[in-house]
């Protein structure tokens, strides 16, 4: 089976799982997301275990019936085999496989067997797959999925239908493909749960063009044993891209997000992208109010933070001694109206600056208005970036690069070892082509345009009406504006003309001016006559 056929088959599996949910009254239900993603995670864990255990046992690898061979292995031999398997590999016992459940679909109380199996797998793999809250409590991997069916008489059939779909084919031979395959599948898996109707945490992933540009500009050298962080991770698109640029084996992922839904999606994304070793570093919590990684320092930070959000409930608690260095530029005031417009992204920028290691680099998506604001917290942050020699540059992106928001965005690049004499400011707003994306329109960059942005930025190259390379002193002179357009050279074009051509042009100007004067005089006379005709009755 080719990769394309396999992707098609996997998407068909996802569609069939959604169809099962619809057939049992859960289509577009709030619990459908949990069922689809958790069942898919179970499928992945099952097939990953089978793939890894076969590599350590010739008997299992060559068995005509894998399930029977696995069930015949004693507990001692099973534990011995597990000792050779990669520590990130999920542990599944013989009575917990999809095949085992498939073979027992006609047993009574199948729904209970299904739920109990997922619960056992969750307990066995807590250390690898559980997501922690900021308090340290661990969230379970699986819910009791059958309980989402309100009619208890339908629960057995519902679980049987799910298992039947999972049994149809295996992921085994695709694991060597890693993210090239599963990144596509992940987006397809969550596409129906990533719309505006999903609420204020619906925008889960950043466009891949933006993520690729950020990763390619941040990661220009080979590095090892580095720590990558996203304080508003969503489903982890930015983290996946930077991890792939660095090499999954060369980095550890750390992240925080206030949304439980986002944290669970991120866990699945890490699993699918060969980054299971970083799952224990996923924290569900409020990064701004109660940062789990307050005192940690990171080598790479990427973030597309929420731009506006009502944080009035905990705004006052931020103004404490412990936060003075973190929020050095100030905390946005709570407005009397439109509290939902509070610029929470300004706190994320400051938090990121505080969280960089001595050699740290960061890329942050910000509203383009941030780079030109003449005063306030925005200007204070920009001034600090320049004076602390942390500013590497800015790329202003095209309008509608995000389909779900019309806000113009720029990418702010920080580097603790930045060159203050070569700050790159780029106006890429004219690039891209407009395409229809559902009800919205968005701008899509071509791969050549992506490459142009990356190469010009990394080479610190000035291109007419596209990019400039400026010094910290020049930025200071412009009131710390980071808009490339304010630094572009204003050019006056000169044209050589003869004396006769010059005389002809001047005569034309004089003639036009004389005509205008005549028209003006006539208009003055009309106005005077009209004024004389006015009467007071």
């Amino acid at each position: 089976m080719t990769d394309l056929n396999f992707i098609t088959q996997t998407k068909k599996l996802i569609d069939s799982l959604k169809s099962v949910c619809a057939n049992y009254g859960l289509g577009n239900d709030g619990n459908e997301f949990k069922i689809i993603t958790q069942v898919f995670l179970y499928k992945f864990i099952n097939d990953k275990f089978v793939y890894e255990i076969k590599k350590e046992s010739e008997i299992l690898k060559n068995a005509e019936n894998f399930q029977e061979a696995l069930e015949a292995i004693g507990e001692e031999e099973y534990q011995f085999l597990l000792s050779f398997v990669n520590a990130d590999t999920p542990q599944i016992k013989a009575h917990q496989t999809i095949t085992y459940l498939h073979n027992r679909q006609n047993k009574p109380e199948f729904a209970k067997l299904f739920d109990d199996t997922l619960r056992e797998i969750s307990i066995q793999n807590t250390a690898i797959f559980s997501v922690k809250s900021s308090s340290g409590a661990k969230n379970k991997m699986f819910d009791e999925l059958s309980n989402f069916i309100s009619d208890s008489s339908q629960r057995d059939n519902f679980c049987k239908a799910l298992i039947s779909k999972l049994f149809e084919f295996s992921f085994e031979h695709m694991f060597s493909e890693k993210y090239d395959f599963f990144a596509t599948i992940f987006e397809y898996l969550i596409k129906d749960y990533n719309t505006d109707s999903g609420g204020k945490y619906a925008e889960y992933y950043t466009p891949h063009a933006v993520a690729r540009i950020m990763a390619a500009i941040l990661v220009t050298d080979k590095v090892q044993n580095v720590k990558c962080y996203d304080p508003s991770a969503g489903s982890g698109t930015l983290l996946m891209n930077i991890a792939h640029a660095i090499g999954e084996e060369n980095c550890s992922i750390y992240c925080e997000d206030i949304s439980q839904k986002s944290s669970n999606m991120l866990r699945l994304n890490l699993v699918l992208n060969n980054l299971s070793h970083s799952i224990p570093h996923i924290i569900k919590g409020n990064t701004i109010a109660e940062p789990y990684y307050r005192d940690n320092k990171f080598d790479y930070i990427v973030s597309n933070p929420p731009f506006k959000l009502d944080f009035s409930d905990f705004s006052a608690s931020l103004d404490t001694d412990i936060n003075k260095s973190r929020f050095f530029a100030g905390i946005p005031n709570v407005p009397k109206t439109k509290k939902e417009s509070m610029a929470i992204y300004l706190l994320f920028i400051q938090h990121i600056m505080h969280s960089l290691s001595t050699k740290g680099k960061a890329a942050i998506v910000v509203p383009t208005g941030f780079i030109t604001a003449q005063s306030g917290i925005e200007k204070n942050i920009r001034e600090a970036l320049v004076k602390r020699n942390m500013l590497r540059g800015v790329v202003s992106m095209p309008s509608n690069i995000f389909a779900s928001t019309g806000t113009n965005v720029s990418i702010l690049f920080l580097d603790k070892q930045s060159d203050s004499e070569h700050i790159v400011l780029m106006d890429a707003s004219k690039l891209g082509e407009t395409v229809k994306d559902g009800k919205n329109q968005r701008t899509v960059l071509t791969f050549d345009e992506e490459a142009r942005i990356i190469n010009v930025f990394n080479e610190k190259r000035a291109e007419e009406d596209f990019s400039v390379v400026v010094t910290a002193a020049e930025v200071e002179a412009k009131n710390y504006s980071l808009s490339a357009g304010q630094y572009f050279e204003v050019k006056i074009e000169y044209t050589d003309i003869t004396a006769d051509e010059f005389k002809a042009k001047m005569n034309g100007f004089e003639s036009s001016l004389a005509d205008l004067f005549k028209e003006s005089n006539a208009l003055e006379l009309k106005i005077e006559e009209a004024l004389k005709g006015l009467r007071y009755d």
Side-chain angles (χ1 to χ4, degrees):
M1 188 182 292
T2 65
D3 290 356
L4 182 59
N5 285 337
F6 197 91
I7 290 174
T8 301
Q9 289 295 313
T10 307
K11 290 182 176 180
K12 183 179 177 182
L13 166 65
I14 295 168
D15 289 339
S16 68
L17 292 174
K18 292 179 179 178
S19 178
V20 169
C21 289
N23 290 340
Y24 284 86
L26 294 173
N28 297 319
D29 182 271
N31 294 314
E32 183 189 23
F33 162 78
K34 293 182 180 179
I35 295 167
I36 300 298
T37 53
Q38 290 182 29
V39 168
F40 194 87
L41 177 60
Y42 174 42
K43 171 66 175 173
F44 185 95
I45 286 174
N46 178 92
D47 292 1
K48 181 69 170 178
F49 167 78
V50 173
Y51 170 78
E52 295 291 344
I53 204 75
K54 282 182 178 179
K55 292 196 298 185
E56 305 303 331
S57 171
E58 288 294 322
I59 294 175
L60 293 176
K61 180 180 179 180
N62 298 319
E64 291 185 13
N65 188 315
F66 172 83
Q67 183 62 35
E68 288 183 358
L70 183 63
E71 291 180 25
I73 291 178
E75 179 65 20
E76 186 175 339
E77 184 178 355
Y78 170 79
Q79 293 297 333
F80 178 76
L81 286 175
L82 287 182
S83 66
F84 291 97
V85 172
N86 187 290
D88 293 334
T89 300
Q91 296 185 15
I92 302 288
K93 295 184 178 180
H95 67 279
Q96 298 166 343
T97 66
I98 290 173
T99 301
Y100 181 90
L101 293 181
H102 182 266
N103 292 342
R104 284 157 180 77
Q105 289 186 84
N106 294 323
K107 298 291 183 180
E109 296 186 321
F110 182 76
K112 183 178 184 303
L113 175 62
F114 179 82
D115 287 337
D116 288 346
T117 298
L118 294 186
R119 187 184 307 107
E120 290 174 6
I121 293 172
S122 180
I123 294 170
Q124 290 164 198
N125 294 278
T126 296
I128 303 175
F129 291 102
S130 287
V131 173
K132 288 190 296 188
S133 66
S134 56
S135 65
K138 292 186 176 181
N139 298 308
K140 59 186 178 181
M141 290 169 55
F142 300 111
D143 294 291
E144 293 184 350
L145 299 182
S146 69
N147 286 341
F148 292 131
I149 303 296
S150 57
D151 184 352
S152 60
S153 67
Q154 293 294 311
R155 290 173 182 170
D156 283 352
N157 290 334
F158 173 68
C159 294
K160 290 176 185 179
L162 292 176
I163 285 296
S164 293
K165 299 302 181 184
L166 298 182
F167 184 74
E168 291 178 356
F169 76 105
S170 172
F171 289 143
E172 284 184 57
H173 77 273
M174 287 302 298
F175 286 114
S176 60
E177 299 297 322
K178 296 195 293 188
Y179 68 90
D180 289 333
F181 165 68
F182 284 112
T184 301
I185 293 305
F186 179 77
E187 281 197 13
Y188 189 80
L189 183 66
I190 69 171
K191 67 182 178 67
D192 291 338
Y193 314 107
N194 195 36
T195 62
D196 292 336
S197 61
K200 62 183 178 181
Y201 298 113
E203 194 177 329
Y204 287 109
Y205 61 83
T206 306
H208 278 291
V210 176
R212 284 191 295 263
I213 289 169
M214 291 168 73
I217 289 177
L218 285 182
V219 184
T220 55
D221 301 306
K222 289 185 177 180
V223 294
Q224 291 183 325
N225 300 320
V226 294
K227 298 197 295 186
C228 305
Y229 174 58
D230 188 338
S232 56
S235 64
T237 298
L238 293 178
L239 287 170
M240 297 307 104
N241 277 268
I242 196 165
H244 300 324
I246 294 170
E248 301 94 324
E249 70 284 358
N250 295 324
C251 65
S252 294
I253 299 296
Y254 296 78
C255 54
E256 299 180 73
D257 199 286
I258 199 170
S259 168
Q260 178 65 53
K261 186 175 181 180
S262 293
S263 298
N264 286 334
M265 292 172 71
L266 175 56
R267 171 175 59 193
L268 181 55
N269 211 359
L270 290 173
V271 170
L272 296 181
N273 284 275
N274 203 37
L275 287 159
S276 296
H277 60 274
S278 289
I279 291 176
H281 303 149
I282 301 176
I283 301 299
K284 186 197 80 67
N286 188 327
T287 305
I288 299 303
E290 299 175 333
Y292 188 85
Y293 295 115
R294 179 191 300 273
D295 298 318
N296 294 64
K297 302 299 179 183
F298 300 95
D299 304 299
Y300 293 91
I301 302 179
V302 287
S303 184
N304 175 21
F307 291 169
K308 297 180 180 180
L309 197 68
D310 179 4
F311 60 93
S312 58
D313 288 346
F314 60 86
S315 176
S317 67
L318 302 179
D319 190 14
T320 58
D321 289 340
I322 195 172
N323 281 322
K324 281 186 177 178
S325 62
R326 189 162 67 117
F327 300 131
F328 66 91
I331 300 168
N333 294 324
V334 178
K336 293 181 179 179
T337 59
K338 294 185 178 181
K339 292 181 181 180
E340 69 278 4
S341 67
M342 295 175 70
I344 196 170
Y345 81 94
L346 296 174
L347 299 180
F348 276 98
I349 296 175
Q350 295 176 79
H351 174 77
I352 289 168
M353 293 171 65
H354 176 78
S355 301
L356 281 172
S357 67
T358 55
K359 298 181 180 180
K361 300 178 181 181
I364 314 165
V365 180
V366 299
T368 294
F370 166 81
I371 67 177
T372 57
Q374 294 296 298
S375 60
I377 297 174
E378 295 92 336
K379 193 221 170 185
N380 293 341
I381 293 174
R382 300 198 312 267
E383 182 176 351
L385 288 173
V386 173
K387 290 186 174 180
R388 296 181 189 181
N389 289 333
M390 293 177 65
L391 180 64
R392 186 175 169 196
V394 172
V395 177
S396 295
M397 301 299 289
S399 299
N400 299 316
I401 197 77
F402 290 83
S404 57
T405 176
T407 303
N408 291 336
V409 303
S410 296
I411 308 174
L412 183 67
F413 290 95
L414 315 184
D415 189 338
K416 276 291 195 73
Q417 296 183 316
S418 183
D419 176 5
S420 62
E421 296 300 304
H422 298 86
I423 299 169
V424 181
L425 303 178
M426 184 182 297
D427 181 5
S429 62
K430 299 180 181 65
L431 302 184
E433 57 184 28
T434 302
V435 299
K436 193 77 172 175
D437 188 356
K439 296 180 181 179
N440 301 312
Q441 288 188 330
R442 67 186 179 98
T443 303
V444 176
L445 296 173
T446 67
F447 284 113
D448 287 342
E449 289 172 329
E450 286 182 39
R452 181 187 179 192
I453 292 171
I454 294 164
N455 293 336
V456 169
F457 196 99
N458 284 340
E459 294 169 9
K460 299 178 180 178
R461 194 167 74 232
E463 288 192 2
E464 185 176 342
D465 294 332
F466 183 68
S467 63
V468 291
V469 182
V470 298
T471 66
E474 289 175 302
V475 175
E476 182 179 0
K478 293 281 189 180
N479 198 32
Y480 299 98
S481 171
L482 305 181
S483 173
Q486 294 193 23
Y487 297 84
F488 288 154
E489 181 181 354
V490 178
K491 294 185 177 181
I492 301 175
E493 293 186 3
Y494 295 91
T495 305
D496 290 331
I497 59 175
T498 64
D500 290 339
E501 289 173 332
F502 175 78
K503 184 176 181 181
K505 280 183 176 292
M506 293 305 296
N507 288 337
F509 292 150
E510 290 175 1
S511 177
S512 296
L513 192 59
D515 292 339
L516 289 172
F517 284 157
K518 288 180 182 179
E519 186 177 344
S520 174
N521 289 333
L523 184 59
E524 287 175 4
L525 291 173
K526 287 183 179 180
I527 293 172
E528 286 180 0
E529 289 179 4
L531 287 173
K532 290 177 181 178
L534 290 176
R535 296 285 186 273
Y536 177 78
D537 295 329

